[in-house]
Amino acid sequence: MKKLILLSAMCVVAAFTNDATAASLDDSCNGVYKKWHSNNVTYRASAVGFPSGNDYRKALGHVITQFNKNASNIRFSMQYDEASVGMGNGENEVWWTSDLGAPAVAYTWKSCYWSFGWKHKITESDIVFKNTVNYTPNVEYGIRGNATNLFPYGGSSRPFKTTALHEFGHGAGLGHENGRYSIMGQDWDHIHRNYVYALAYLGEDANYALRQLYGNNSSSNVQDVGVVHWKYNGARGAYSSHIRTKLYNTSGYELSYNTVNGERRYYVYPGQTVRAEFTYENSGESSQYPTIHYVVSTNSLITTYDTLIASTAFTLNPEGSVYTATRTVTIPSSLNVGQNYWLGAIMDPNKSLAEKEENNNATYIPIRTY
Ligand SMILES: [Zn+2]
């Protein structure tokens, strides 16, 4: 049988090509998507770039942990202290270099061949990060990091973990997405936040694509619902762009705001009825009907101890569509005037669903009363 060895480079910076299709999966092999032919894939991290005790080594471990929460069968493992890294050496490796045209690149070797049907097999994946990018490993709170120094929150650092998750998505066979909120679109604003905690996560779209390639996880029942204050904002070349979810008046016009630390803080008055927009994701294996609570908080840490102002429930299918919607809520008339508050949404507040990820169930929109 004849094997074709192809090299494809996928980068995280929009190349602005004319290829604007929602290319989540690659079927350039006679209609067969490329994938690993094993569910367990080992990467090796450079000893120089990810030494013992280094925060990027910790961050890389967190990224693998986050990746392995996916609802499909593909699982990655990471070995460290690899002395010799390079492309095309038959090993899957991760390293840093200054010689890169993008903040990070995932190189994928694949083989398209016929063996009682067309096969499209990934044979090697190398993930390379540019060491002159102002990344932050974001390991301040374990798997979560400090949001305040990040691009999407008015900071100057690019979150390493969102970039790395995007690249490991390529490593699993995923292409770019430009039709919905997705880690395979622009990665750095595909992120969950509550209080100062930022969490990099794969999300519904990537999970759906992985389930298409590798099937629903057969060893455990992987479920995860979440809510974020980000949403899809149109295609930018091959990439989805994202923007914050908003607060509207009852006519659907965005409320006035001022921008604080990269976030819109909306002006509301006590007793005002508003429409709060959030994005709800189902990154698990099966449909869910979670309860969602809307609360008002005196700080940005949204918990079930905050003041409940509305409750709803709706079906969330794990099919990659990613549901962004507004819900009408009334700001309590008891709030003080001239004070900052946070309007929160809490998914599955009673924890009735056993989830692979419990850190992405509450988020906020900043408000200020007048
Ligand atoms: Zn990419």
Side-chain angles (χ1 to χ4, degrees), residues 187-217:
D187 67 85
W188 51 260
D189 50 13
H190 180 282
I191 195 164
H192 180 271
R193 180 172 180 177
N194 190 15
Y195 190 48
V196 298
Y197 305 128
L199 180 74
Y201 72 108
L202 275 179
E204 178 173 331
D205 178 63
N207 268 282
Y208 179 60
L210 289 174
R211 286 167 52 229
Q212 284 183 283
L213 282 179
Y214 299 100
N216 281 358
N217 191 277

Side-chain angles (χ1 to χ4, degrees), residues 10-12 166-167 170 176 239:
M10 296 176 186
C11 56
V12 296
H166 174 113
E167 300 307 330
H170 285 319
H176 287 140
Y239 295 77

Side-chain angles (χ1 to χ4, degrees), residues 47 57-58 147 167 196-197 225 263 274 294 299 342 349:
R57 177 154 160 165
K58 274 185 218 162
E167 300 307 330
V196 298
Y197 305 128
V225 291
E263 302 189 291
V274 301
Y294 300 89
N299 58 34
W342 285 260

Side-chain angles (χ1 to χ4, degrees), residues 266-304:
Y266 290 96
Y267 291 106
V268 299
Y269 58 84
Q272 184 176 5
T273 299
V274 301
R275 282 162 57 177
E277 183 178 53
F278 289 99
T279 294
Y280 307 92
E281 293 180 90
N282 182 345
S283 302
E285 293 181 23
S286 45
S287 295
Q288 302 294 341
Y289 190 75
T291 298
I292 295 110
H293 281 179
Y294 300 89
V295 299
V296 167
S297 173
T298 54
N299 58 34
S300 64
L301 178 63
I302 304 301
T303 75
T304 51

Side-chain angles (χ1 to χ4, degrees), residues 61-316:
H62 294 160
V63 167
I64 295 300
T65 299
Q66 292 303 82
F67 180 87
N68 286 341
K69 290 175 180 172
N70 81 72
S72 84
N73 283 301
I74 186 76
R75 291 292 179 265
F76 288 161
S77 61
M78 184 64 67
Q79 292 182 1
Y80 296 93
D81 303 318
E82 176 67 24
S84 170
V85 294
M87 286 190 265
N89 62 1
E91 293 188 332
N92 312 310
E93 292 161 333
V94 185
W95 70 91
W96 297 88
T97 181
S98 60
D99 183 22
L100 213 58
V105 175
Y107 298 93
T108 305
W109 281 257
K110 55 192 183 177
S111 173
C112 174
Y113 59 95
W114 196 93
S115 173
F116 305 101
W118 285 101
K119 311 292 181 194
H120 198 181
K121 179 182 176 180
I122 298 175
T123 56
E124 180 178 335
S125 164
D126 292 309
I127 294 173
V128 188
F129 296 95
K130 189 170 187 173
N131 58 18
T132 55
V133 173
N134 187 25
Y135 280 116
T136 176
N138 242 208
V139 292
E140 292 85 350
Y141 308 107
I143 204 135
R144 296 181 290 183
N146 182 355
T148 59
N149 60 350
L150 304 180
F151 276 1
Y153 297 105
S156 58
S157 296
R158 183 183 183 109
F160 173 81
K161 291 182 187 176
T162 60
T163 303
L165 266 177
H166 174 113
E167 300 307 330
F168 281 100
H170 285 319
L174 306 189
H176 287 140
E177 171 59 49
N178 68 1
R180 59 192 69 135
Y181 174 71
S182 174
I183 190 71
M184 298 314 294
Q186 182 166 280
D187 67 85
W188 51 260
D189 50 13
H190 180 282
I191 195 164
H192 180 271
R193 180 172 180 177
N194 190 15
Y195 190 48
V196 298
Y197 305 128
L199 180 74
Y201 72 108
L202 275 179
E204 178 173 331
D205 178 63
N207 268 282
Y208 179 60
L210 289 174
R211 286 167 52 229
Q212 284 183 283
L213 282 179
Y214 299 100
N216 281 358
N217 191 277
S218 52
S219 58
S220 70
N221 176 26
V222 179
Q223 305 299 344
D224 179 45
V225 291
V227 58
V228 288
H229 57 204
W230 293 99
K231 67 173 181 176
Y232 177 64
N233 189 44
R236 230 188 59 183
Y239 295 77
S240 291
S241 70
H242 307 138
I243 194 173
R244 287 290 288 267
T245 61
K246 298 175 179 177
L247 208 57
Y248 305 91
N249 66 19
T250 51
S251 303
Y253 293 102
E254 187 178 11
L255 295 174
S256 61
Y257 59 84
N258 70 343
T259 303
V260 181
N261 298 327
E263 302 189 291
R264 293 177 184 187
R265 174 169 283 152
Y266 290 96
Y267 291 106
V268 299
Y269 58 84
Q272 184 176 5
T273 299
V274 301
R275 282 162 57 177
E277 183 178 53
F278 289 99
T279 294
Y280 307 92
E281 293 180 90
N282 182 345
S283 302
E285 293 181 23
S286 45
S287 295
Q288 302 294 341
Y289 190 75
T291 298
I292 295 110
H293 281 179
Y294 300 89
V295 299
V296 167
S297 173
T298 54
N299 58 34
S300 64
L301 178 63
I302 304 301
T303 75
T304 51
Y305 295 106
D306 295 320
T307 305
L308 181 65
I309 60 171
S311 177
T312 190
F314 42 74
T315 300
L316 284 177

